[in-house]
């Protein structure tokens, strides 16, 4: 189901290995507008019979797809590691978690998408959760498989057809996952198109697309929302964050929490929407924190080729990302900050041969430095000091992004009280990033981090619209009737 090279001059996307940029991992053909149109039309034609199939058969197909993916876990994880530079253990985790999520959907979709009928004195009311039709899923490169399945699985379960456009920076493993899943489905129900913004815009603006689910950055999100608006197509936007990790004065700075915190910032080389991107520590514990943090980083952070056993941090995604992150750190240093190097380096890796960025903890950066105000999306994190909670909250909440955050404290009540006041869609307590996720907790941002939710019942609800059939009591056979212009009681 990978699109042939039918774009201008049969254009192809070549994906190199970020750990060893001289290695070509694979290619995909760019989908031109005719290809996008053909696949959306095919999906539209397939969708009605898919919806009519009934939920039990749809979920059986998803379960078969989950088994097919599980059977290919190892080669999929290796392909993902080679195209994205994410370390192999992370990639195994992502493929395995994608299967876990698929099975969660299979278990929970029957209740979420069930028709509900009330028949009483007030009337007979039928609530029907109906699919939208064709859903367009536009996804990023940093967790391409799970972020795609968070859209595809509930959308298919609800009876939609789906056309996915993955990021050109990691299109290979997710295409293989979609091929395996599509093998369990009727033809045309699930398709993939490839390319950059042009292919994405052709998909999002297609008149037969009835819903758009997007994960990515704010710039592309605004373009996607504007394109979707030309057809009045609803969108879900899952965007970036600038998560604060807040350490209250009583927080445990022991080995375990510090290891967890380091990886909350540096897993996937910091390229995670919900990474801990600003560390707020009480001024009195600064030296103790820096020492504990560096010691934990020395243990858990080993930089090198994503496929080398024992390496916990690979390269970043592209040469552009290297330049951007190095510029942000250099700009802070030029204004008086210090960038402390962290972790160790795998001796067998040729760092000059890949897109590697040395992990750093940035101290003493001014509050308006880009490493603090923007989403660095790379292996550097600033440490900020505070004196009291009100001043701290004002600084944390000053950010326009509101995806995640965390509060660390020995006193859970105190942590929850503060967490309630953090302007973010998901606040973790005593952890941060994926160790704090739960399949039963909805995930998504507030403010400029987007709208709509993934995971949990809310994530299922995004893919069905409740339609109603209603016979009001007064007008049912034997009813007392109402004046012609009456409001309901
Ligand atoms: P991006 O915005 O550059 O690209 C995302 C996708 O949109 C890609 O497939 C891209 O080709 C496509 N695209 C770009 N312009 C488009 C347009 N005009 N029309 C249609 N499609 C278009 O993001 P990225 O660099 O791939 O991902 C990194 C960003 O994603 C970060 O900001 C990160 O925080 C965010 N993110 C958010 C979540 C979340 O759940 N909230 C999860 C992961 C990543």
């Amino acid at each position: 189901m990978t699109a042939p090279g039918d774009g201008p001059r049969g254009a192809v996307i070549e994906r190199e290995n970020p750990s060893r940029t001289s290695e070509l991992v694979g290619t995909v053909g760019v989908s031109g507008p005719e290809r996008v149109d053909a696949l959306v039309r095919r999906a539209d034609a397939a969708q009605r019979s898919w919806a009519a199939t009934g939920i039990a058969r749809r979920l059986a197909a998803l379960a078969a797809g989950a088994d097919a993916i599980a059977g290919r876990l190892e080669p999929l994880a290796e392909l993902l590691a080679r195209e994205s530079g994410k370390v192999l253990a992370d990639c195994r985790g992502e493929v395995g978690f994608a299967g876990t999520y698929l099975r969660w959907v299979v278990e929970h979709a029957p209740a979420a998408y069930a028709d509900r009928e009330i028949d009483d004195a007030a009337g007979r009311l039928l609530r029907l959760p109906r699919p939208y039709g064709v859903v367009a899923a536009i996804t990023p490169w940093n967790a391409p498989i799970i972020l795609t399945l968070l859209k595809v699985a509930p959308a298919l379960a609800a009876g939609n057809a789906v056309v996915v456009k993955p990021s050109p920076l990691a299109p290979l493993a997710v295409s293989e996952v979609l091929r395996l899943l599509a093998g369990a489905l009727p033809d045309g129900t699930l398709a993939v198109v490839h390319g950059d913004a042009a292919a994405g815009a052709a998909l999002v603006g297609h008149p037969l697309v009835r819903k758009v689910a997007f994960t990515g950055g704010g710039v592309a999100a605004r373009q996607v929302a504007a394109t979707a608006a030309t057809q009045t197509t609803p969108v879900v936007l899952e965007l970036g964050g600038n998560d604060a990790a807040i350490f209250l004065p009583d927080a445990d700075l022991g080995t375990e929490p510090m290891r967890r915190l380091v990886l909350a910032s540096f897993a996937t080389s910091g390229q995670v929407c919900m990474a801990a991107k600003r560390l707020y520590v009480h001024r009195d514990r600064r030296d103790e924190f820096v020492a504990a943090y560096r010691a934990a980083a020395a243990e858990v952070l080993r930089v090198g080729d994503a496929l080398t056993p024992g390496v916990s941090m690979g390269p970043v995604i592209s040469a552009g990302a290297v330049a951007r992150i190095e510029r942000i750190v250099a700009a802070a240093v030029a204004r008086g900050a210090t960038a402390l190097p962290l972790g160790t380096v795998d001796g067998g890796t040729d760092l000059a041969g890949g897109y590697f960025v040395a992990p750093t903890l940035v101290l003493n950066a001014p509050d308006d430095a880009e490493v603090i105000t923007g989403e660095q999306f790379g292996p550097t994190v600033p440490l900020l000091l505070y004196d009291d909670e009100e001043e701290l909250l004002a600084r944390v909440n000053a950010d326009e992004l509101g995806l995640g955050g965390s509060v660390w404290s020995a006193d859970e009540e105190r942590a929850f009280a503060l967490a309630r006041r953090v302007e973010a869609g998901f606040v973790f307590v005593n952890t941060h990033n994926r160790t704090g996720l739960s399949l039963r907790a909805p995930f998504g941002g507030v403010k400029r981090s987007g709208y709509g939710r993934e995971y949990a019942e809310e994530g299922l609800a995004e893919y069905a619209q409740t339609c109603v059939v209603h016979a009001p009591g007064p007008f049912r056979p034997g009813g007392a009737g109402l004046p012609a212009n009456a409001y309901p009681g």
Side-chain angles (χ1 to χ4, degrees), residues 54 86 91 95 163 175 178 193 221 273 347 377 483:
K86 283 162 45 129
C91 296
V95 179
V163 181
S175 293
L178 293 172
V193 298
C273 58
F377 221 60

Side-chain angles (χ1 to χ4, degrees), residues 138-141 147 165 214-217 220 223 238-240 273 375:
I138 310 282
T139 53
W141 48 266
L147 293 171
K165 194 209 77 64
F214 171 87
T215 299
Q223 293 167 358
E238 300 287 346
L239 313 182
C273 58
E375 186 186 29

